[in-house]
Amino acid sequence: MKLKSLGTALTTAALIATALTGAVATAGTAAAATKPDCSSALVNVKPKATVNIRSAPKTSAKALGTWGKGQKGGVCFGDRKPATGGSYTACGKKSNKWYFGGPNSTSVEGWVPATCLPI
């Protein structure tokens, strides 16, 4: 993951999330996530399963790519808290917590389910 592009990608994701909240609310619609603090990143994170990288912290958001099981990557970790978004079940757990990040092998960055990251 290119940490220099994290701020730009993060701003884009936050704008998309904000724009999406203007739509009619339905069951499972996520509230706009606040911009995570990307002043530091947690590196060498390996997902427990392959996960979709999303444009906003909800499962209905556009999938930008995937982050493979066991593939090293990084997540924004300045405030050490995941963002609250849409509910999901992933990696055997139900949650509404999301982290912003992605794999090292690509420049794709976005929102991934927190339950699949060993944080």
Side-chain angles (χ1 to χ4, degrees), residues 1 9 26 45-46 48 60 62 65 76 79 92-93 100 108 117:
M1 179 171 72
T26 59
V45 176
K46 298 177 184 177
K48 301 173 193 175
S60 62
K62 180 181 178 182
C76 289
D79 59 10
K93 295 182 181 177
F100 189 87
V108 177
L117 300 177

Side-chain angles (χ1 to χ4, degrees), residues 95-114:
S95 182
N96 66 346
K97 304 297 182 188
W98 298 78
Y99 279 108
F100 189 87
N104 292 339
S105 61
T106 70
S107 61
V108 177
E109 300 166 329
W111 296 97
V112 294

Side-chain angles (χ1 to χ4, degrees), residues 20-21 24-32 56-61 84-88 94-96 98:
L20 290 174
T21 59
V24 176
T26 59
T29 299
K58 58 185 179 178
T59 57
S60 62
T84 301
S87 296
Y88 61 85
K94 196 172 194 177
S95 182
N96 66 346
W98 298 78

Side-chain angles (χ1 to χ4, degrees), residues 70-81:
Q71 186 179 12
K72 290 181 182 179
V75 296
C76 289
F77 210 65
D79 59 10
R80 301 192 187 276
K81 296 178 185 175

